Amino acid sequence: MTLHSASTDASSQRRPLRWPQPLEGSAERIWYGGDYNPEQWPETVWDEDIELMKQAGVNLVSVGIFSWAKIQPTATTWDFDWLDRIVNKLGMADIAVDLASATASPPPWLTKMHPEVLWRDERGDICWPGARQHWRATSPVFKDYALALCRKMAEHFRDNPYIVSWHVSNEYGCHNRFDYSDDAMRAFQNWCKLRYGDIQAVNEAWGTSFWSQQMTDFSEIVPPRFIGEGNFMNPGKLLDFKRFSSDALKEFFMAERDVLASITPNLPLTTNFMVSSTGYPLNYDDWGSQVDFVSNDHYFLPGEAHLDELAYSASLVDGIARKRPWFLMEHSTGAVNWRTVNYAKEKGQLIRDSLAHLAFGSNAICYFQWRQSRAGAEKFHTSMLPHAGTDTQIFRDVCELGRDLNVLSTTGLNHTTLSMSAVAVVVDYESEWATEHTATPTQRVRHWSEPLDWFRALLDNGVTADMVPIAADWDSYQAVVLPSVYLLDERNTQRVHDYVEAGGKIFVTYFTGISDVNDRVWLGGYPGSISEVVGVSSEEFVPLGSDFDGTLEYLDLSNGTVAHDLADRITRVADTTRVLTTYQAPEWTGMNQVPAITVHEFGLGIAAYVGCRLGRKGLAQSMPELLDAMGLQFSDAKQSEMPHAWNEGERTLRVERVNAQTGERFIFVFNRTHDAVTIPVEGTCLIMSRAVCKDEASEGLGTADYVLQANGVIVSKV
C-alpha cells in the first residue's frame, strides 16, 4: 500500500470547486434535506415521506449511506431494484439525491468470510462487528471489496438523472481512526519511508537516542501499541502515527473517489468531515484539498457556549473551504443520542442554528435524518420528522426553515460568500495532536480550547473573527491570533517573522512555538522559534492546580483577571517591549511582578504576548487595553470598513455574506443572550425568527430597530 504523506499533500493544489447542480428544469437553490434511510421502512411509507418532504421544502436527500448489506446481500449477489425505485420516486418529485458509496459499514457476510479486515486496538484486541466502521483502512482485502462496490454503484447509476453528487463513505475515522494491526504496521513503515527516506532520519526526528530506541531498519518500526499502564510513548513516533492514520484513511477515500470519478466524471464528490471546536480526529484542512466541495457534520454543544461554538466551527469549515461554498451534511433538529445526557434544543434553536451555518458560508442545510428511526442505536436521535409525527413543533419549524431558505435562494444568497474579517484565529490540527501526549507540563492544557476562547472573547468585544487553518493564508489578515499553536515548523516560523516585520499585528499566547514539526523543543527559552518577534522569553512553565495542598492554584493579574492552569515565567524582556500586565503574587511563588501580557514592536508590525491561560472571560476583559496597545480600534470602525467583524458589543453575533460582483450584502444578526436585545438593522429584512420590528412604518426603509428574543435571528439584504 502506497500512502501520500500529509506534508506533501498539504502543499499540493486544491481540487477545483464542483458544486452539486440542480435537477434539469429546476432553479438553483440552497440545498435542504438530510439523510434518508428508506430501507428502514416499508415501501408503503415512501410516498408519504416524499409528500411531506415537498411540504417541508426538501430538495435533496442523502441515500444509501449504510446500505451495503441491502445492496449486496451476499458476496456474489446484488440488489439495486429497491434503490432504483426510491431514487426515481425522489427525482420525479424534484428531490435530488446525494448518493452514498455505501462502504461505511461492511455487511456480516464480509467480516465472517474475512475477519482479517477488522481493525485491532493498541492491545491487539479485535473490533468485532456490531456497530459500524469495523474495518481497517490498510486492509487490501477490504479495499478490494469496497472498490468493487463503488464500481458497481457507479456503473449502475451512471446515467441516472436524479443523482447530483457522490457521498463517499461516511465520517471517516469516527470509530476506526487508529488501527494497530499488522496491515497498519506495514503501511506505517512505508509511510515513514516516504516521509523520511532513510531510517537515520526517523531516528533524528523521533529522538530515539532517548531510552535506547534507535532503529537500524524500517522493519523495526511498529505502531504505538500498548506499552504498559503509566508508560510514555515516544512523542515523535506518536505524532507521526496520528499523521499516518489521517493519511491512511485519506488514501482510502481517494481510492473510492477515483473509482467513482472514472465512471461518472460529471458528478462532484465529497465526504462528510466532523469539524468542531473539539473535533480533531483527522487533518481536515489537508483532506479539504481532496474533495470537490467541503462537507461537514456538526452537532451542537449544550449549554451557554452553544451558538458561539457553532459559529466557531462553521467559520473553521469556511476556512477549510477557502471561502468557497460548503455543505452542511448533518446536524440535528434537537437532541442527539450519544451523550450521557442528551439535551433538547431550546425554542427557536432549530431555525437559528441552521441560519448560523448558512451565515458562515454553507449553501446547504441538511440533517441527520429525515424520519426518526424506530429501532437501532440512533432511535432517540431527533430528526426532521419525529416519532410524534407532523403535528409537532419540530416539523413546523422544519417547514418554516424550508420557506426561509427558499426566500434566501430567490434573493441571491447562493451567489455570495462569507466576507473576510480583519482578524484571523489560527487552528492547527497537528498542534492539538502533539499536546494530547501524556507527558506535558500539565494535562489541563491542549491546543483546542484556546482558539475557541479567543473567538468568544473577540465576539464579546464586537469582533467576529475568521477561523483559519495554519496552512491557509492567515498572513493576509490585518491581525492574527496564534493561540497555543504548540508546533511551529521552520516555514511557519518564518511566516510569523515576515508577517510582523512587514507590518502585521499578531497575538501570541503561552504554549505557542514550543516545538518543531517533529515535536523537538526549540531551544533558547519559550517561545523558542519566535521569541525575537514577541520580545520576551520564558525559562520555564508554571503549571497551576490544586492537586496537592499548598500548590499554586491561580495567579492574579494587575488588570483584575486571573490565570489558571498554566503561566510562563518570563525572565527576559527586550528593551523595546512594553509590559501591559504583571502578576500580583506572594514573593515565595517567584511570580510577583513577572510580565503576563506584553506588546513588542518588530519591524513595521507589533506582537502581543499573553503568557498565561486567562479563559474566555479573562481574555475578553483584557481585550480593550490589548487592542488599544496594538492600534486596533475595531469598535469605532464603520461597518462598511470592517465587513462582518463588527457586532453590537457582546450581546449579538453579526455576520455578512457578500456578492463580489454586485456588492450586495446579506447581514445576519443573532442574539447571543437569553434576554431580549434591541438592535439597528440596515437594508430590507428578509427573515425574522423570534424577532419583531419596533416601528413597522420604518421596516425596510434604511435602518430600523428590531427586538430579538432569545435564540432570535434577523437576515437583511443591503
Side-chain angles (χ1 to χ4, degrees), residues 654-676:
R654 185 180 189 276
V655 189
E656 284 192 13
R657 289 182 56 159
V658 178
N659 186 314
Q661 280 70 46
T662 66
E664 290 180 322
R665 294 181 292 144
F666 288 78
I667 302 171
F668 295 74
V669 184
F670 302 86
N671 186 352
R672 293 176 72 210
T673 76
H674 276 155
D675 300 320

mmCIF file of all heavy atoms in Angstrom, residues 654-676:
data_model
loop_
_atom_site.group_PDB
_atom_site.id
_atom_site.type_symbol
_atom_site.label_atom_id
_atom_site.label_comp_id
_atom_site.label_asym_id
_atom_site.label_seq_id
_atom_site.Cartn_x
_atom_site.Cartn_y
_atom_site.Cartn_z
ATOM 1 N N ARG A 654 -22.840 39.168 14.616
ATOM 2 C CA ARG A 654 -23.164 39.748 13.313
ATOM 3 C C ARG A 654 -22.232 39.161 12.259
ATOM 4 O O ARG A 654 -21.017 39.144 12.432
ATOM 5 C CB ARG A 654 -23.008 41.268 13.345
ATOM 6 C CG ARG A 654 -23.441 41.981 12.063
ATOM 7 C CD ARG A 654 -23.235 43.487 12.217
ATOM 8 N NE ARG A 654 -23.807 44.245 11.129
ATOM 9 C CZ ARG A 654 -23.216 44.479 9.966
ATOM 10 N NH1 ARG A 654 -22.014 43.973 9.732
ATOM 11 N NH2 ARG A 654 -23.807 45.201 9.036
ATOM 12 N N VAL A 655 -22.810 38.679 11.170
ATOM 13 C CA VAL A 655 -22.047 38.026 10.108
ATOM 14 C C VAL A 655 -22.549 38.535 8.767
ATOM 15 O O VAL A 655 -23.751 38.754 8.595
ATOM 16 C CB VAL A 655 -22.202 36.489 10.154
ATOM 17 C CG1 VAL A 655 -21.238 35.813 9.193
ATOM 18 C CG2 VAL A 655 -21.994 35.963 11.568
ATOM 19 N N GLU A 656 -21.634 38.735 7.808
ATOM 20 C CA GLU A 656 -22.016 39.194 6.474
ATOM 21 C C GLU A 656 -21.563 38.217 5.408
ATOM 22 O O GLU A 656 -20.463 37.661 5.471
ATOM 23 C CB GLU A 656 -21.389 40.561 6.162
ATOM 24 C CG GLU A 656 -22.047 41.722 6.837
ATOM 25 C CD GLU A 656 -21.577 43.059 6.265
ATOM 26 O OE1 GLU A 656 -20.940 43.053 5.187
ATOM 27 O OE2 GLU A 656 -21.847 44.090 6.892
ATOM 28 N N ARG A 657 -22.433 38.030 4.416
ATOM 29 C CA ARG A 657 -22.065 37.384 3.166
ATOM 30 C C ARG A 657 -22.199 38.407 2.053
ATOM 31 O O ARG A 657 -23.149 39.205 2.040
ATOM 32 C CB ARG A 657 -22.954 36.160 2.893
ATOM 33 C CG ARG A 657 -22.671 34.998 3.830
ATOM 34 C CD ARG A 657 -23.500 33.773 3.540
ATOM 35 N NE ARG A 657 -23.370 33.307 2.166
ATOM 36 C CZ ARG A 657 -23.654 32.067 1.761
ATOM 37 N NH1 ARG A 657 -24.065 31.164 2.633
ATOM 38 N NH2 ARG A 657 -23.532 31.718 0.492
ATOM 39 N N VAL A 658 -21.257 38.386 1.114
ATOM 40 C CA VAL A 658 -21.158 39.437 0.105
ATOM 41 C C VAL A 658 -21.053 38.829 -1.286
ATOM 42 O O VAL A 658 -20.381 37.821 -1.496
ATOM 43 C CB VAL A 658 -19.928 40.338 0.373
ATOM 44 C CG1 VAL A 658 -19.797 41.408 -0.697
ATOM 45 C CG2 VAL A 658 -20.018 40.977 1.749
ATOM 46 N N ASN A 659 -21.729 39.463 -2.241
ATOM 47 C CA ASN A 659 -21.585 39.122 -3.653
ATOM 48 C C ASN A 659 -20.439 39.955 -4.213
ATOM 49 O O ASN A 659 -20.536 41.180 -4.295
ATOM 50 C CB ASN A 659 -22.882 39.403 -4.410
ATOM 51 C CG ASN A 659 -22.833 38.939 -5.851
ATOM 52 O OD1 ASN A 659 -21.867 39.178 -6.563
ATOM 53 N ND2 ASN A 659 -23.896 38.277 -6.296
ATOM 54 N N ALA A 660 -19.341 39.283 -4.567
ATOM 55 C CA ALA A 660 -18.143 40.002 -5.002
ATOM 56 C C ALA A 660 -18.368 40.786 -6.283
ATOM 57 O O ALA A 660 -17.699 41.792 -6.528
ATOM 58 C CB ALA A 660 -16.986 39.019 -5.189
ATOM 59 N N GLN A 661 -19.310 40.343 -7.136
ATOM 60 C CA GLN A 661 -19.560 41.035 -8.401
ATOM 61 C C GLN A 661 -20.473 42.244 -8.236
ATOM 62 O O GLN A 661 -20.209 43.320 -8.779
ATOM 63 C CB GLN A 661 -20.178 40.068 -9.421
ATOM 64 C CG GLN A 661 -19.192 39.145 -10.115
ATOM 65 C CD GLN A 661 -18.627 38.098 -9.179
ATOM 66 O OE1 GLN A 661 -19.367 37.464 -8.424
ATOM 67 N NE2 GLN A 661 -17.316 37.903 -9.230
ATOM 68 N N THR A 662 -21.541 42.090 -7.465
ATOM 69 C CA THR A 662 -22.540 43.168 -7.359
ATOM 70 C C THR A 662 -22.385 44.021 -6.111
ATOM 71 O O THR A 662 -22.930 45.126 -6.039
ATOM 72 C CB THR A 662 -23.957 42.574 -7.352
ATOM 73 O OG1 THR A 662 -24.147 41.801 -6.160
ATOM 74 C CG2 THR A 662 -24.172 41.681 -8.574
ATOM 75 N N GLY A 663 -21.663 43.520 -5.119
ATOM 76 C CA GLY A 663 -21.532 44.238 -3.860
ATOM 77 C C GLY A 663 -22.713 44.049 -2.920
ATOM 78 O O GLY A 663 -22.721 44.614 -1.818
ATOM 79 N N GLU A 664 -23.730 43.286 -3.336
ATOM 80 C CA GLU A 664 -24.882 43.044 -2.465
ATOM 81 C C GLU A 664 -24.434 42.296 -1.210
ATOM 82 O O GLU A 664 -23.612 41.393 -1.273
ATOM 83 C CB GLU A 664 -25.944 42.232 -3.195
ATOM 84 C CG GLU A 664 -26.655 42.981 -4.300
ATOM 85 C CD GLU A 664 -27.695 42.117 -4.991
ATOM 86 O OE1 GLU A 664 -27.426 40.909 -5.179
ATOM 87 O OE2 GLU A 664 -28.762 42.646 -5.336
ATOM 88 N N ARG A 665 -25.021 42.697 -0.083
ATOM 89 C CA ARG A 665 -24.656 42.102 1.199
ATOM 90 C C ARG A 665 -25.878 41.505 1.877
ATOM 91 O O ARG A 665 -26.958 42.093 1.857
ATOM 92 C CB ARG A 665 -24.029 43.149 2.124
ATOM 93 C CG ARG A 665 -22.688 43.692 1.654
ATOM 94 C CD ARG A 665 -22.148 44.689 2.658
ATOM 95 N NE ARG A 665 -22.953 45.914 2.719
ATOM 96 C CZ ARG A 665 -23.189 46.619 3.825
ATOM 97 N NH1 ARG A 665 -22.719 46.197 4.987
ATOM 98 N NH2 ARG A 665 -23.895 47.723 3.784
ATOM 99 N N PHE A 666 -25.692 40.337 2.478
ATOM 100 C CA PHE A 666 -26.689 39.729 3.341
ATOM 101 C C PHE A 666 -26.147 39.786 4.762
ATOM 102 O O PHE A 666 -25.050 39.275 5.033
ATOM 103 C CB PHE A 666 -26.960 38.282 2.933
ATOM 104 C CG PHE A 666 -27.739 38.135 1.658
ATOM 105 C CD1 PHE A 666 -27.119 38.290 0.416
ATOM 106 C CD2 PHE A 666 -29.097 37.848 1.687
ATOM 107 C CE1 PHE A 666 -27.832 38.168 -0.761
ATOM 108 C CE2 PHE A 666 -29.824 37.715 0.513
ATOM 109 C CZ PHE A 666 -29.197 37.880 -0.714
ATOM 110 N N ILE A 667 -26.892 40.419 5.649
ATOM 111 C CA ILE A 667 -26.443 40.626 7.021
ATOM 112 C C ILE A 667 -27.262 39.744 7.957
ATOM 113 O O ILE A 667 -28.491 39.813 7.977
ATOM 114 C CB ILE A 667 -26.579 42.104 7.431
ATOM 115 C CG1 ILE A 667 -25.765 42.994 6.481
ATOM 116 C CG2 ILE A 667 -26.131 42.302 8.873
ATOM 117 C CD1 ILE A 667 -26.017 44.473 6.664
ATOM 118 N N PHE A 668 -26.570 38.898 8.706
ATOM 119 C CA PHE A 668 -27.192 38.017 9.697
ATOM 120 C C PHE A 668 -26.867 38.562 11.085
ATOM 121 O O PHE A 668 -25.700 38.819 11.390
ATOM 122 C CB PHE A 668 -26.634 36.595 9.592
ATOM 123 C CG PHE A 668 -26.937 35.874 8.306
ATOM 124 C CD1 PHE A 668 -26.289 36.209 7.125
ATOM 125 C CD2 PHE A 668 -27.854 34.829 8.294
ATOM 126 C CE1 PHE A 668 -26.551 35.526 5.944
ATOM 127 C CE2 PHE A 668 -28.116 34.128 7.120
ATOM 128 C CZ PHE A 668 -27.470 34.495 5.945
ATOM 129 N N VAL A 669 -27.875 38.724 11.908
ATOM 130 C CA VAL A 669 -27.662 39.162 13.285
ATOM 131 C C VAL A 669 -28.357 38.179 14.221
ATOM 132 O O VAL A 669 -29.556 37.923 14.088
ATOM 133 C CB VAL A 669 -28.191 40.590 13.525
ATOM 134 C CG1 VAL A 669 -27.861 41.026 14.947
ATOM 135 C CG2 VAL A 669 -27.588 41.571 12.528
ATOM 136 N N PHE A 670 -27.593 37.631 15.169
ATOM 137 C CA PHE A 670 -28.089 36.622 16.102
ATOM 138 C C PHE A 670 -28.005 37.156 17.529
ATOM 139 O O PHE A 670 -27.030 37.819 17.899
ATOM 140 C CB PHE A 670 -27.241 35.342 16.008
ATOM 141 C CG PHE A 670 -27.191 34.729 14.649
ATOM 142 C CD1 PHE A 670 -26.253 35.148 13.706
ATOM 143 C CD2 PHE A 670 -28.070 33.718 14.285
ATOM 144 C CE1 PHE A 670 -26.190 34.583 12.442
ATOM 145 C CE2 PHE A 670 -28.019 33.139 13.030
ATOM 146 C CZ PHE A 670 -27.086 33.580 12.101
ATOM 147 N N ASN A 671 -28.982 36.835 18.317
ATOM 148 C CA ASN A 671 -28.965 37.168 19.745
ATOM 149 C C ASN A 671 -28.131 36.124 20.477
ATOM 150 O O ASN A 671 -28.441 34.939 20.444
ATOM 151 C CB ASN A 671 -30.399 37.195 20.288
ATOM 152 C CG ASN A 671 -30.465 37.679 21.727
ATOM 153 O OD1 ASN A 671 -29.453 37.857 22.394
ATOM 154 N ND2 ASN A 671 -31.679 37.896 22.216
ATOM 155 N N ARG A 672 -27.068 36.551 21.152
ATOM 156 C CA ARG A 672 -26.198 35.636 21.901
ATOM 157 C C ARG A 672 -26.671 35.428 23.345
ATOM 158 O O ARG A 672 -26.036 34.681 24.089
ATOM 159 C CB ARG A 672 -24.766 36.165 21.941
ATOM 160 C CG ARG A 672 -24.042 36.194 20.610
ATOM 161 C CD ARG A 672 -22.656 36.822 20.768
ATOM 162 N NE ARG A 672 -21.725 35.968 21.479
ATOM 163 C CZ ARG A 672 -20.724 36.419 22.228
ATOM 164 N NH1 ARG A 672 -20.553 37.714 22.405
ATOM 165 N NH2 ARG A 672 -19.905 35.564 22.833
ATOM 166 N N THR A 673 -27.733 36.095 23.734
ATOM 167 C CA THR A 673 -28.166 36.052 25.129
ATOM 168 C C THR A 673 -29.543 35.408 25.250
ATOM 169 O O THR A 673 -30.193 35.094 24.251
ATOM 170 C CB THR A 673 -28.235 37.469 25.714
ATOM 171 O OG1 THR A 673 -29.419 38.129 25.225
ATOM 172 C CG2 THR A 673 -27.019 38.291 25.320
ATOM 173 N N HIS A 674 -30.002 35.250 26.471
ATOM 174 C CA HIS A 674 -31.360 34.789 26.723
ATOM 175 C C HIS A 674 -32.303 35.954 27.007
ATOM 176 O O HIS A 674 -33.473 35.741 27.330
ATOM 177 C CB HIS A 674 -31.381 33.794 27.885
ATOM 178 C CG HIS A 674 -31.061 32.386 27.472
ATOM 179 N ND1 HIS A 674 -30.543 31.457 28.330
ATOM 180 C CD2 HIS A 674 -31.194 31.754 26.277
ATOM 181 C CE1 HIS A 674 -30.364 30.303 27.690
ATOM 182 N NE2 HIS A 674 -30.755 30.465 26.444
ATOM 183 N N ASP A 675 -31.784 37.169 26.909
ATOM 184 C CA ASP A 675 -32.599 38.361 27.112
ATOM 185 C C ASP A 675 -32.954 38.973 25.767
ATOM 186 O O ASP A 675 -32.246 38.770 24.768
ATOM 187 C CB ASP A 675 -31.843 39.389 27.949
ATOM 188 C CG ASP A 675 -31.467 38.850 29.318
ATOM 189 O OD1 ASP A 675 -32.306 38.154 29.913
ATOM 190 O OD2 ASP A 675 -30.336 39.119 29.772
ATOM 191 N N ALA A 676 -34.038 39.740 25.731
ATOM 192 C CA ALA A 676 -34.394 40.464 24.512
ATOM 193 C C ALA A 676 -33.347 41.540 24.237
ATOM 194 O O ALA A 676 -32.861 42.208 25.152
ATOM 195 C CB ALA A 676 -35.770 41.090 24.660
#
